[in-house]
Structures are given as C-alpha cells and as structure tokens.
Amino acid sequence: MTKECWFLLLVFLLFLSVTAVYSDEIPTDDIYSAFSAYREAFSSLFPREEGSGEEKTLRELIKEELYELGIPYADMPIDNIEGFHTFSRDILATVDTRSPVTVCLVVPVNTYNGMKTVEYHYASIAFALILLDRISRNPPMSYNLEVLFSGAEYSSHAFAGTFSYIKSLRDRQKRVVLYLSIENIRQKPRIYHTGGIRKSPAWLVMSVLRSAEARNIDMGFSSSSIYQMLSMIYKDATPFSSLLSNLYTQGIPAIAIANDKSSPIIKDERQAVTDIMAMLEDSIKRIPTDYSTTWENHYLVVKLPYMQYLVIREYYYTLFIFLSIVLISAIAFTRYRSIKRYFKALTSSYGTPLVFVILTIFLMLATLLDRSILEFKGYDRLIELRLIDFVFLKLSVSIFLFSLFIWIIHIIPIRLAKNTHFYTANALLFLAIDMAIFGSILLPLALFFLWAIVCTLLFSSSRNIFLRVLFSLLAPLWFIRAFAIMLTEARQLARLIVIPTLSGDLFLAFLLLPFFLLLMRLDIYIHNKRRRKGRLLVVVISISLVAIVAFSTRLLLTPIFANNIKQPVDVYTISSDNTNTASLNIESPAYLPDMTIKYANIYRGLSSARIKKLSFLIPPPREEVISYDYSIKTFLGRKIIRLYINSKRPIKKIKIEVTGSGDIPILDCNFPYISTDKNTAIINIGKNPPLPLEIILGIKESDRARMVIHTTTDETAIPVEIDAENIEINRYGKYIKTLDL
C-alpha cells in the first residue's frame, strides 16, 4: 500500500473519531449511565432545606463536577432582594461562545416541604450537568449557555435565587430563561408559560412543543387562555406564574418545564431519561437568534391529533370574532320581527333585577352552608382536601333553591315577564356585556362568551325540545372546563369561588345569570309542550335535595385525616431566659385528636376535646442550650453592638426584633432588616445559619433600645412523647432572650 493510501486512511479514521465525539445524537447508554452516576452521588442528599447541610454538600458536589468538566462557574450570594437574607447561594456555570444571545437554564438546588416524589429529587440537576457536558464538548455558535443552580427557591421569598440572579444582570436583552423542575422522570413533562396577563412568546412555546413532537413525547399542555385568566385573578394560582410574570415584565422570554403530576407512571426509566434529555437539548437548539424582545400575549395554541400543535395568532382570531359578530348582526337584522320582540321584552319587564337578586341570595345561602360545615369541622384546609364535595354541595343548594323558586312561580303564579322571549333576550344581553368586559381584559375570553352567544341563538331558533336541552348544556361548556382546571390545579383560587365574600357571590351571580335565564326559558317551553306543570321541577328538586343531604353527611361524618392523610401537629417548647420560665405547647390547625402526652415523668391525657392548642408550664432547661455574648462600643455618636450566638443544637432560624425610643431603631446592620413601624425593626437572619453567628448593628448613641432574640432549634427543650393515631409531629424549641442596649 502506498504512502498516499495510508495517509488517506489515517485522515478517514480521524474524521470518524471526530464525528463520533461531536455527534448531535448522544448515545442512549451514555445518557443513562451519566444519569445513574449522578443518582448514586446525589440520591442520599434529601431533604435539602434552604441553607441546610444537605444543600451545602450538594452545592460542593456540583462545583467539583463542574471543575472536572472544565466548565467555568461563579459561586454567588443571594443578596439582591430587599429585606431578605439566606445562607443559600447560587452557582452559575457558563459556556461562552461570544454570541449576542444567551440561553439560561435554571434548576432549583433545594427541595420544598411536603415533596411527595423523592425518588428523582435530583433529576433536574443531573439533566443540567449532562447538558453542560454535552454542549461544552461541542459548543454552539448561535448562543451562549448559562446554567443557574439556584438556591433558596422554596423559601419565604419564592424563587429567591432566580430573582437575585436576574437583578444582578447588567444586560437583560437577548436572554431566554428555561426553568427546569423535574421531580419524577416517570411522568410525562409539562410546560407552563403563563404569568398574569402575559405569556411566553409563541416561538419559545413552539420550540419546546416541536422538540417533544420530534421525540414522540406527549407533552402536557393546558389551554393558555384559561391559565392566563387564573394567574391574572390570583398570581400564585398556577405553578411558576409569579416567577414567569416577573420575567415577562422585564422583557425576558421564559418558560417552565416540570412533570405532569396527574399523568400515569411510565415504566421504561431509560427511555424517559433519554427522551427528556434529547427534548431539552433540541428545544435550546430551536431557539431563534433573531427573535424580537416584544411579543403578543393573546395567541392561542391548539393541540391537534397525533401530537400536532397549531398556533393561532391574535390577528386571526380577532378577525374571526369581528366577522362572527358581523355575521350574527346580519342574520339578526334579517329577522327583524324577532329582534323587535327581543327589544320589547328587554324594556317591558322588571324580572331581570329580581332574578339577579334572588340568585345572589341563593349563592350566599349555599356559601353560608359551606362555611358552617368548615367551621364545625375546625380545619381551614378541609376545603382543599374535600374541594369536590364542597363544590357539589354549593351547586346542589343553588339548584335546589332556584328550582324551588321556579316551582313556586308556577304555583302562585307570578309572571316575571309579559312574554317568554324575555329570558332569551336578557341572556343574550348579559352574554354580550360579559364578552365586552372580559374580552377587553383578556381577549381569548371573548371566545368563551361568543360560544355561549351562538349556543343561545341556536337554542332560541330551535323548535325541538332535545336540541334546546343540548344547546342549553353546551352554552357554559368552556366555563365548566375552566372551573374543572381550577378544581384540579388551582385549588387556592377555587377556594375563593366556593366560599367567597359578598362581592364574590355577586360576581358569580352576574356570570351565571344568563345560563339560569336559559334554564327558566327551557322550563317554560317544556311545560307549554307537555302541559305537566312542575313534574320535571319536582324531579330536579328531589335529586338536588338528596345530593345536599348526601354531601353534607359525607363532609360532616367522614374523618378529616384518613387514607394516608396525617394530621399535622406542632410540638414545641418556649423558654425565656429573662423570666426563667418554660412552657410546652401542642398545636394543630385542626382539633387535636385523642392523645396521651408524656414529659418530665408526667402523663396527661386528652379525650374528645374540641381544642386546637394545649399549653403546660414545664421546668426550664437545666443547661444552657443557646449562648449569647455581646459587646457595646461607642463610635462617632453611634452604639456598635456585636452579638455572638452559639448553640449546642442546630438552629433552624433566628429572628431579632429591635425596638428603640427614636424614629430609626437601626442605623446599620450586617444583615438585612425591615422596619415594621417607626420604632421597631426586624433583622432577617435566614434559615439554618452557621454557628457561631456574629451580628453587628449600629444604633444612635442616645437611643435606649431593646433587642428581643427569637431562636428556633430542631428539638424541644425537654423530651416529649405523644401517643396518638394518624398524626405527623413537627418538633422544635423556641428560645427568647431580651437585651437592653
């Protein structure tokens, strides 16, 4: 073989090796083996509370891995949030290609209290490290990649690490944020892209959806208009809405990817790992480099069969709404006599205000029943555990009372209107008003009311009883769907609907009035056809009454804490160094169950007591658990106080309250503080502080101040044993120290 042949063969082999290293497709075994390696390293570090030792250990492991991969990183404090302090930190890893566009992947480092799925708590971090390894070996030329391992995401200030990072940026232009929070890889992923009245740009949503489509991943995706409506009413109604809303306000395109907790479990773990990883990498590659920093917020994404997605721009469905209104108006004017009857019905009846007032009263009575049951059970969160029961109870009471009202009208009889067109005309009028009001707030909502208007017109023009029933049921279809989403995914907001204030019931009555008017018109039509007054109403009244009894009995007699739902019970001691007193406290948000309490060789029993808190005086701790040492020096008209706190037990949190005689109790401090009034300030130390802890603050030299230190440890001051069924105990000790400065 000639030298030229050997040379060509060598070049060919080198080419194969290079393409193998820089191939766009990661071998499945490489992905899964890397994921398994990270599982072995990270799985034992759970739970990871803000500032905890497990979080610190994981942060060090991440930095070691980044160092081995040769990826530059920065260890940054979370200190850009006013009045908030944490000992958690952010780690920012960067693959810099000098591109004007930066894609930032954010993954939370700590976990939240009550996290149910613990098997894959490390998944997001593992995916981020695999992505960094992959992209660092084959850097893209179209964008820079940043991965933010964010701390203190689940703290008193939600998403603190991400907000601190965003505030530290000098240039926020041409930056895209992907938030990855995968708790269970065996459930299908889902995207969240709405926050308040704004949403992620369509090109970013489609980048993720097209990537999922290419891997045959059935991506969870909900109606963006419904989610936008929910997060607009209540900012924390849907996951990530408060974070996304803040980013959108600053002009940063963002989207969150999490797992769909309601989806079935996927058996093939290996396939799930490779699919999520491939989708994540492909989503980033699809992000355009020439995107606009402004985008529309009222587009619609429609899911078609076979996992296909269609984006409907705001312009097109606005045109559709306009043309629909023109078409309806044109058809209406061709039926001049019907329109004339409708207008005459609107101006010749007092029935609408009466029906509105009666419907409001019925909703208030249903709310009163729900509140009474909630107060009797004594657990405020029962409505979240039994939300469906409360909803159907309120619905049953409203239907029962309204049907009874219509039945009484037939018996007396009372005429609310001079002709039967009154009901349909008023339903159309109120739907048109609703469409104008809600459509001006959030344009896609106009489609909901347009659907209801079309169904009402078809209801009016139909002469077949079955068609009328069908169209009366189809009219509120989209509102029922929105409420169903609220029940399953926005339970805190659903609470405001089930047990609202007076204004909430007035709003519900205004929203439901057109549909109840349709039911009244349907009832009249049925009676005129069959000549059997009250027969159908008696059936409806009977069924609704049975439902009221059934749901009320279920809510009153079913135990709150059953079926693996344990009652939270706080067992804590309060010790005061200044008064040399201590107390044992047992507290729960629900009524305390029957229990036996043992402490300091003393036995106490609790049986059938409708109380939520018990307190006993106990001997103060014999040994000092928390030690305090402080010094005061005067300098330039200021008192400089140095306080040192140490403990024999881990400290969970410290709160310091400073009260002074002047207007400004604190002049300076090495920790953030907030003023509650002109004489009082609270110093925020943060959770799980390192020990010993030094606190330095300055006050006016002439000021007579008092410092009250509240320290919380992870154990009670004395051993306490509680014997009770189906409870989950949270133990801690509070120590109070007062210093006169």
Side-chain angles (χ1 to χ4, degrees):
M1 186 179 292
T2 63
K3 293 181 179 179
E4 290 78 9
C5 293
W6 281 109
F7 178 78
L8 291 174
L9 180 61
L10 180 61
V11 171
F12 179 73
L13 292 174
L14 287 172
F15 174 77
L16 288 179
S17 63
V18 170
T19 54
V21 173
Y22 294 99
S23 170
D24 285 339
E25 292 292 332
I26 313 175
T28 301
D29 293 339
D30 289 351
I31 297 176
Y32 191 69
S33 60
F35 187 86
S36 301
Y38 290 129
R39 167 165 41 200
E40 185 176 349
F42 302 153
S43 60
S44 61
L45 300 174
F46 183 87
R48 297 187 299 276
E49 294 183 355
E50 174 196 350
S52 64
E54 290 81 5
E55 187 196 48
K56 294 175 185 176
T57 302
L58 179 59
R59 203 162 55 236
E60 293 302 317
L61 289 176
I62 291 172
K63 290 192 289 187
E64 290 178 9
E65 184 65 19
L66 293 174
Y67 177 78
E68 291 181 5
L69 294 175
I71 299 172
Y73 66 88
D75 191 347
M76 306 182 300
I78 302 172
D79 56 1
N80 289 321
I81 301 174
E82 184 178 358
F84 175 79
H85 181 267
T86 179
F87 294 97
S88 296
R89 299 176 69 88
D90 285 345
I91 300 173
L92 182 65
T94 307
V95 178
D96 192 357
T97 62
R98 304 295 180 184
S99 172
V101 178
T102 299
V103 177
C104 181
L105 177 69
V106 181
V107 293
V109 173
N110 61 321
T111 56
Y112 58 88
N113 292 330
M115 186 174 181
K116 296 180 179 179
T117 308
V118 301
E119 186 179 358
Y120 299 104
H121 61 84
Y122 53 86
S124 298
I125 299 170
F127 285 131
L129 290 171
I130 295 172
L131 180 69
L132 277 169
D133 183 26
R134 168 66 180 160
I135 291 184
S136 65
R137 288 190 285 114
N138 185 15
M141 300 306 297
S142 57
Y143 58 86
N144 307 313
L145 177 67
E146 291 181 348
V147 174
L148 179 70
F149 298 93
S150 183
E153 291 294 272
Y154 308 107
S155 60
S156 58
H157 191 292
F159 308 107
T162 305
F163 287 143
S164 178
Y165 157 76
I166 295 298
K167 286 186 177 181
S168 67
L169 295 175
R170 295 181 180 178
D171 183 13
R172 298 172 190 173
Q173 297 296 320
K174 292 295 182 179
R175 185 175 299 271
V176 181
V177 173
L178 300 180
Y179 196 95
L180 184 67
S181 180
I182 302 292
E183 297 176 12
N184 189 353
I185 61 171
R186 291 179 179 268
Q187 290 179 312
K188 70 179 183 180
R190 181 174 186 169
I191 63 171
Y192 297 89
H193 67 293
T194 57
I197 61 173
R198 305 195 66 181
K199 66 172 72 170
S200 177
W203 54 261
L204 181 54
V205 174
M206 294 310 297
S207 295
V208 179
L209 292 179
R210 297 295 185 209
S211 301
E213 181 184 330
R215 298 289 301 184
N216 292 322
I217 299 174
D218 185 15
M219 176 70 76
F221 183 78
S222 297
S223 171
S224 58
S225 58
I226 295 177
Y227 266 73
Q228 224 172 342
M229 176 188 67
L230 296 180
S231 59
M232 180 178 60
I233 298 173
Y234 184 68
K235 71 173 185 177
D236 294 321
T238 56
F240 311 104
S241 59
S242 60
L243 169 68
L244 296 175
S245 176
N246 184 283
L247 295 175
Y248 298 153
T249 303
Q250 300 182 58
I252 301 176
I255 198 168
I257 304 174
N259 56 283
D260 190 341
K261 297 180 181 180
S262 62
S263 65
I265 300 297
I266 302 170
K267 294 182 179 180
D268 193 344
E269 181 187 77
R270 180 187 296 268
Q271 187 63 41
V273 169
T274 54
D275 283 347
I276 293 175
M277 190 65 233
M279 180 203 68
L280 183 61
E281 185 176 359
D282 190 43
S283 298
I284 294 175
K285 288 181 178 179
R286 289 175 183 267
I287 294 175
T289 58
D290 56 348
Y291 67 86
S292 174
T293 54
T294 59
W295 60 88
E296 65 177 84
N297 293 290
H298 299 298
Y299 64 88
L300 296 175
V301 180
V302 181
K303 187 175 182 179
L304 303 176
Y306 306 106
M307 293 185 291
Q308 300 288 326
Y309 298 92
L310 175 65
V311 176
I312 303 176
R313 300 289 180 183
E314 179 181 348
Y315 168 79
Y316 294 109
Y317 74 81
T318 303
L319 182 62
F320 171 76
I321 293 173
F322 175 76
L323 293 177
S324 299
I325 294 173
V326 171
L327 180 61
I328 292 172
S329 302
I331 295 174
F333 279 107
T334 60
R335 303 181 63 181
Y336 177 73
R337 292 183 179 179
S338 298
I339 294 296
K340 189 176 180 179
R341 284 200 306 267
Y342 280 3
F343 275 110
K344 186 177 181 180
L346 287 173
T347 57
S348 61
S349 177
Y350 59 87
T352 304
L354 179 61
V355 173
F356 176 74
V357 171
I358 290 173
L359 182 57
T360 303
I361 293 173
F362 292 164
L363 288 172
M364 290 172 61
L365 291 174
T367 301
L368 180 62
L369 179 59
D370 279 352
R371 287 185 182 275
S372 301
I373 292 175
L374 200 61
E375 291 177 4
F376 176 79
K377 297 296 286 186
Y379 185 43
D380 196 47
R381 288 195 60 194
L382 176 63
I383 195 167
E384 296 178 25
L385 299 176
R386 304 278 192 273
L387 183 58
I388 302 297
D389 293 340
F390 278 103
V391 168
F392 279 101
L393 177 60
K394 183 168 185 174
L395 184 63
S396 301
V397 171
S398 302
I399 292 175
F400 169 76
L401 293 174
F402 201 81
S403 301
L404 190 63
F405 165 68
I406 298 176
W407 187 64
I408 292 173
I409 289 176
H410 286 316
I411 291 178
I412 293 181
I414 299 174
R415 290 193 64 185
L416 294 178
K418 294 182 179 179
N419 62 66
T420 57
H421 297 290
F422 154 78
Y423 301 103
T424 310
N426 275 273
L428 287 170
L429 175 64
F430 276 90
L431 287 173
I433 294 172
D434 288 339
M435 185 172 73
I437 294 174
F438 290 96
S440 63
I441 299 172
L442 188 62
L443 189 59
L445 294 182
L447 292 172
F448 294 8
F449 293 98
L450 179 62
W451 168 273
I453 288 173
V454 171
C455 290
T456 304
L457 289 172
L458 293 173
F459 170 91
S460 176
S461 60
S462 300
R463 293 294 176 262
N464 185 285
I465 181 62
F466 296 105
L467 288 178
R468 288 208 168 197
V469 172
L470 176 64
F471 290 129
S472 65
L473 294 176
L474 287 177
L477 178 65
W478 285 102
F479 302 96
I480 294 172
R481 173 171 167 75
F483 193 71
I485 291 176
M486 191 186 305
L487 291 178
T488 55
E489 303 187 32
R491 288 179 169 251
Q492 291 180 335
L493 179 59
R495 176 189 180 89
L496 301 178
I497 303 297
V498 177
I499 50 171
T501 58
L502 174 61
S503 58
D505 281 325
L506 286 170
F507 172 77
L508 281 177
F510 183 78
L511 197 63
L512 296 175
L513 181 61
F515 307 110
F516 275 89
L517 289 172
L518 280 184
L519 291 178
M520 294 181 72
R521 177 67 182 93
L522 182 64
D523 172 71
I524 294 172
Y525 184 80
I526 291 173
H527 288 153
N528 287 342
K529 283 286 183 181
R530 297 187 177 183
R531 304 295 181 185
R532 297 176 182 176
K533 285 190 175 182
R535 183 73 59 86
L536 180 62
L537 281 175
V538 170
V539 174
V540 174
I541 291 171
S542 302
I543 293 175
S544 57
L545 183 60
V546 170
I548 292 171
V549 174
F551 285 113
S552 299
T553 305
R554 174 179 166 84
L555 286 169
L556 290 171
L557 300 183
T558 304
I560 300 175
F561 303 101
N563 300 325
N564 299 323
I565 300 176
K566 293 187 176 183
Q567 179 174 354
V569 176
D570 286 348
V571 178
Y572 61 95
T573 54
I574 300 177
S575 306
S576 176
D577 283 4
N578 298 82
T579 59
N580 198 30
T581 58
S583 64
L584 169 63
N585 303 271
I586 303 171
E587 189 175 358
S588 176
Y591 293 128
L592 289 170
D594 297 346
M595 62 173 63
T596 302
I597 309 158
K598 179 185 177 183
Y599 64 94
N601 295 324
I602 299 174
Y603 287 86
R604 291 181 181 268
L606 180 67
S607 178
S608 302
R610 291 177 62 83
I611 57 175
K612 296 183 179 182
K613 183 177 180 180
L614 281 174
S615 294
F616 311 110
L617 289 176
I618 60 173
R622 295 180 180 178
E623 60 178 6
E624 186 181 54
V625 178
I626 311 293
S627 61
Y628 309 90
D629 187 16
Y630 70 98
S631 64
I632 302 176
K633 293 183 179 180
T634 303
F635 181 73
L636 295 178
R638 292 187 177 191
K639 288 181 183 178
I640 308 300
I641 298 100
R642 290 181 177 270
L643 173 65
Y644 300 90
I645 300 177
N646 207 346
S647 173
K648 295 179 180 180
R649 298 175 181 173
I651 293 180
K652 295 180 67 175
K653 62 180 179 180
I654 299 175
K655 184 181 78 170
I656 300 178
E657 184 177 330
V658 180
T659 303
S661 57
D663 293 340
I664 305 175
I666 297 178
L667 299 177
D668 196 11
C669 185
N670 62 334
F671 287 94
Y673 60 91
I674 55 174
S675 297
T676 57
D677 55 51
K678 67 177 184 178
N679 300 113
T680 306
I682 295 176
I683 302 174
N684 294 315
I685 303 298
K687 291 185 177 180
N688 300 300
L691 298 176
L693 182 68
E694 181 184 26
I695 302 163
I696 305 172
L697 68 150
I699 62 175
K700 292 180 181 179
E701 184 178 4
S702 59
D703 197 1
R704 299 179 62 184
R706 169 169 289 186
M707 177 187 295
V708 181
I709 308 166
H710 301 267
T711 308
T712 304
T713 64
D714 59 355
E715 282 294 338
T716 53
I718 61 172
V720 181
E721 295 181 10
I722 305 291
D723 185 14
E725 294 183 357
N726 207 31
I727 64 172
E728 185 176 11
I729 299 177
N730 178 31
R731 303 173 188 269
Y732 54 94
K734 291 183 177 181
Y735 299 85
I736 301 174
K737 179 73 171 180
T738 302
L739 301 175
D740 291 320
L741 306 176

